Structures are given as C-alpha cells and as structure tokens.
Amino acid sequence: MNDRCDRRRERLGWHYDEDTGTLMRDVIHRIGRRCHSWDYRGLGTYLITLTLADRTSHALGRLCHDAQKGAFVELSAVGRLVGATMAELPRQWPGVEVLGLQVMPDHLHAVIAVRARPRKPLGAIVGSFKSKATSRWLKLGRARPSAKDTESNFATGNESLSAVAAEPGFATPIKAWGDDGRSRGAAARAPSSLFAEGFVDTILFDAAALAHARAYLADNPRRLWEKRAHPKLFAVLRDLPVSLGAGLVGHFAAIGNHNLLKAHAILQVQCSRRFFAYARDAAGRLLKDAPPRVETDEFRESCEALLEEAAHGAVLLSPCISEGEREIARRAFSAGHRVITLANKGFSPLYKPGGKLFDTCAAGNLLMLAPINWPYLPGEKKMTRADACVLNRLAQWIAGADAVEVSYKGIQRTDIDQLARNAAGAERKHSMGSVPIDENC
C-alpha cells in the first residue's frame, strides 16, 4: 500500500523537503497551470501565498525592527482589514480553519485547513477571500502608505472589522505618472483587484510540515529584514559570466556573494551515492535524529578533508546531487564555511534561499549558480543523468586545478562537454572581457 502511494505521489510531482523531511508540492493556480490530479474539494491543509497586484505599493504595512522584538510588520489600515477578512473565512466556509497568518508589506501567507469536505474547491475559497478583501479595499479609496501617514494608521491593536473600515485609510492615494512626467491620478494606475491573479499553495501532509509552515510564517519578517539589509547578496542576477578555463566563459543565473569566485582555492565536492545515505522511514521521509543509514570511511575522510580546507579559506563547490554531497554542504553551512552550489534550473525573480541557505547567504557565505540556458520552472525539476553529468562537468571547469575525477559511465566525454557548453552558453573569453565581480558583496 505504501509503495503504491509513493508511486502515485511521485507521478503527481510531489517531493520531500530535505530540511524537514516532509512531503510537499508547490502548485501555482492559474489558467492552464492547475494540478488536476489533486482533489481540491477534499480535506487538506495548505500554506497559501497571495501577492498584491501592485507589489511596489507595500500597502499592507511597513517592516520595522527594534532590539527587543526584532523584525516585525506594522500593519496599515489595509493590512488590518485583510487580516480581519481572513479571520472571517471560517464563518463563510464551515469546516475551514485558519491556523496561521502572516501579513507582509506586499504579500501574505496563511495556513488553511479544510476539515470538512467543502461545497466548492480550494480555489473558490481563496477567491472569495480575495474578492471580499478587494471590495473593502476599494471602499478605503485604493490608497497606500506615505511618509505623511499618522502613527494611528499603523496601530497594531486587534480592532474589529467595523473599526478598521471606519478609519480614513491612508492619507496619500496612489499616483501614476505619464511619459510627460505629469501625475495621471489614482484611477490611471490603481489595479481593479487588491491581489494579483492566482495564488501559490503548498500541501502540508503531516504535523511536521504544519510545524515547519508555522515557523516559516513567524520567521518571515526577519528574513525580509535580512534581505533588505543585504540587497546585493539576495539579488537574483540573470547573467553572471564565470570563467570555465581553457579560454571559455560560461553564463549563469546567480544569487549570493559573487566574490566567492575569487577564492584562492575552489574545491569540487563529489561523493558517490554508495558512500553516504540518510536514514529514512518507510515512506521515504528523513529521520532527522537518526544516524545515517550509510556513512563509509571514504565519506568521512573526504568530508573531514574538505571541511578542514574550508576552515582555512577554501570555497567548496558542489552540485549537491547525491545525499553525501548535500550532507557535506550542510556541515559546511553549520560551520560557517563558504559554499558555491550548482542547480539544474534557474531562479524566479523573487527567489530567496530557504532554511539554512538563507542565513548562509545573509552571512555572505553562499553563491548559488544555475546554467543560463536552464531556465526557472515552477515546482521541482527532476534531476536526470544528463543534468548530473553537466553539473559535474561545469563544477570541474570552475574548480580548475582543484577539480576531482568524475566517472561518466556510458556517456562520451565529448558529448558531456558539448551539453555543458550549451547549458552555460559558453563562449570565448576574449569576446567577454574579464569576469565582473561586485566588490560590495
């Protein structure tokens, strides 16, 4: 029975979150993108993300920070209205429970549990919330915060919805500017809906996934504060030229500290699957507190040697394909060492690393690279044998003298080289000039 369920989950594209060991699936609900294999009229628990139609307005509040509370979001009148509307959802939809809510300046996250089979699917439930919130927002005059707003507009008390709706809202309406530099007024720019089309959901399958989602909500303000404090480290770069040696320059999507490419030594991490394997339960989920199922002497020797070099300033470069390679990266993150990772797809414009990767990136100890011709795709992209060979070959080229020998059984080296050059859009260095490095990273 478990095997049949696991095969069905794999067929539907569900995946295990490696940081939590929980089964999740990301689905973007738009026309032509909905996952028709999942019963959205059934029971389930979801982490829902909604973004504003105008994310530049930060209409839901402002990010603040103090020594005692740390980072937090001080809600605007619109933000409090949105929170009150979300709180009403269970009354409109019996059997629906809101288990958590985090309103951010330009988006919100909510954990919604469907305890009884609803009369309509999840999309209709979320849509009704968006519609009601938009209607009430329109009554506030489609306004957004400005420097002239009074502190009362950002009070954080638990007012009733009627009290929030009675407030004047924001003092300054949205302005639009034409090509002639003149203001066109609020009507020219203000969107007809408060929220952008569609939403993103992550299906939470067990208590561990629910706990992880709640922790993610609580940590969201801190993560945003760190991202704003280190904008260069969290900026998604579409095209970072990287020297591949032999007169070639490859192109990569990148996020993190570009200066890691200037390290005196970049050591390639390569670990056979037979050297290390995580302990998992019958369903395939990680057992965090259990010792590894496999940890050979070869793995321990390689890991200790790499971490020792990293402690003396070397940068580890890993495609993080095998479990052993991911474990070495985790130990390097925990020790505060510097790591470059390679991914088999690009990054969305608003991507930010998750889990330990986020704090590692904020500390300037992480650079994530993805070949430029492997674009961003929503959800998980299956790691194929060809992908793994290309990433290992690119890692060899970037590491240069510190590359390791990799076995490409069954594939000609010339074929792998061509695939790697195509993936990275490699070209001769003389046409590119030097690889730019941001001195401020």
Side-chain angles (χ1 to χ4, degrees):
M1 180 67 178
N2 286 337
D3 290 342
R4 186 166 66 252
C5 291
D6 289 344
R7 287 195 297 270
R8 181 171 181 268
R9 288 170 176 171
E10 183 177 355
R11 186 170 64 252
L12 297 180
W14 299 350
H15 65 278
Y16 287 99
D17 180 87
E18 293 292 348
D19 287 332
T20 63
T22 54
L23 190 62
M24 297 182 178
R25 179 191 169 102
D26 294 332
V27 182
I28 298 179
H29 293 258
R30 291 194 179 95
I31 295 175
R33 294 284 294 279
R34 181 142 190 189
C35 178
H36 297 285
S37 301
W38 174 258
D39 182 10
Y40 286 95
R41 289 179 181 268
L43 311 187
T45 305
Y46 307 88
L47 171 61
I48 302 295
T49 299
L50 300 174
T51 63
L52 293 181
D54 178 12
R55 297 197 69 170
T56 64
S57 69
H58 293 175
L60 302 181
R62 61 187 177 197
L63 187 65
C64 302
H65 189 279
D66 66 34
Q68 292 184 335
K69 296 176 63 176
F72 63 97
V73 176
E74 198 170 31
L75 297 181
S76 66
V78 177
R80 298 199 301 281
L81 181 150
V82 165
T85 304
M86 179 64 73
E88 291 181 351
L89 205 61
R91 293 204 294 270
Q92 181 181 358
W93 299 90
V96 172
E97 186 178 356
V98 179
L99 303 180
L101 176 66
Q102 178 62 67
V103 179
M104 302 297 289
D106 62 352
H107 67 280
L108 67 84
H109 302 288
V111 177
I112 298 176
V114 181
R115 307 293 193 191
R117 190 171 181 86
R119 61 183 185 275
K120 291 186 178 181
L122 177 69
I125 297 173
V126 177
S128 68
F129 160 77
K130 293 170 66 175
S131 177
K132 185 176 291 186
T134 294
S135 176
R136 291 167 174 171
W137 166 69
L138 291 173
K139 292 179 181 179
L140 287 181
R142 286 176 173 162
R144 68 177 181 183
S146 73
K148 296 180 180 180
D149 286 327
T150 63
E151 289 299 320
S152 62
N153 282 339
F154 287 92
T156 56
N158 296 321
E159 301 95 338
S160 66
L161 179 60
S162 59
V164 171
E167 292 186 10
F170 296 113
T172 304
I174 296 176
K175 293 182 179 180
W177 301 90
D179 294 336
D180 57 2
R182 296 181 180 180
S183 172
R184 298 289 174 82
R189 179 181 174 187
S192 59
S193 174
L194 177 60
F195 293 103
E197 178 188 359
F199 64 94
V200 177
D201 79 81
T202 299
I203 304 171
L204 309 177
F205 288 96
D206 52 29
L210 175 59
H212 176 72
R214 283 173 158 167
Y216 175 79
L217 263 62
D219 195 41
N220 232 240
R222 182 193 71 85
R223 290 164 56 87
L224 180 58
W225 182 266
E226 291 285 354
K227 185 177 179 181
R228 290 185 179 178
H230 307 285
K232 291 184 180 294
L233 294 176
F234 288 99
V236 177
L237 190 63
R238 175 69 181 90
D239 184 353
L240 177 68
V242 177
S243 175
L244 301 179
L248 289 180
V249 168
H251 300 264
F252 294 80
I255 180 171
N257 187 353
H258 307 164
N259 279 336
L260 298 191
L261 293 168
K262 298 200 305 182
H264 71 274
I266 299 178
L267 305 182
Q268 182 184 358
V269 178
Q270 202 277 332
C271 180
S272 172
R273 288 179 295 178
R274 68 179 183 273
F275 291 163
F276 182 92
Y278 298 120
R280 298 178 183 270
D281 63 16
R285 289 173 285 206
L286 293 180
L287 297 174
K288 285 290 187 178
D289 298 327
R293 183 170 59 84
V294 176
E295 184 174 348
T296 65
D297 291 338
E298 291 92 338
F299 170 80
R300 283 191 289 270
E301 292 173 3
S302 175
C303 181
E304 290 172 3
L306 287 167
L307 295 180
E308 177 68 19
E309 292 290 340
H312 289 85
V315 170
L316 304 186
L317 169 61
S318 176
C320 293
I321 299 169
S322 70
E323 292 187 342
E325 290 164 4
R326 293 195 291 273
E327 178 63 19
I328 291 172
R330 285 190 174 92
R331 295 183 188 184
F333 297 151
S334 298
H337 300 326
R338 300 181 297 171
V339 180
I340 299 173
T341 64
L342 294 176
N344 71 335
K345 69 172 187 176
F347 314 108
S348 68
L350 297 176
Y351 173 81
K352 57 181 180 292
K356 293 180 180 178
L357 290 176
F358 182 88
D359 293 323
T360 303
C361 188
N365 292 331
L366 176 68
L367 174 62
M368 304 177 72
L369 300 175
I372 193 169
N373 289 325
W374 288 357
Y376 165 74
L377 298 170
E380 293 293 302
K381 178 187 175 185
K382 183 178 180 181
M383 179 71 73
T384 65
R385 174 81 194 288
D387 288 352
C389 290
V390 166
L391 293 179
N392 276 320
R393 193 63 176 132
L394 290 173
Q396 286 180 305
W397 287 344
I398 295 172
D402 294 305
V404 298
E405 184 61 33
V406 178
S407 175
Y408 299 104
K409 294 181 180 179
I411 304 179
Q412 294 294 323
R413 180 66 65 92
T414 54
D415 294 336
I416 295 173
D417 288 353
Q418 186 60 51
L419 289 172
R421 285 193 293 268
N422 292 342
E427 54 189 335
R428 290 298 166 186
K429 187 179 297 186
H430 64 76
S431 66
M432 292 295 303
S434 59
V435 176
I437 300 294
D438 191 340
E439 298 294 342
N440 295 319
C441 279

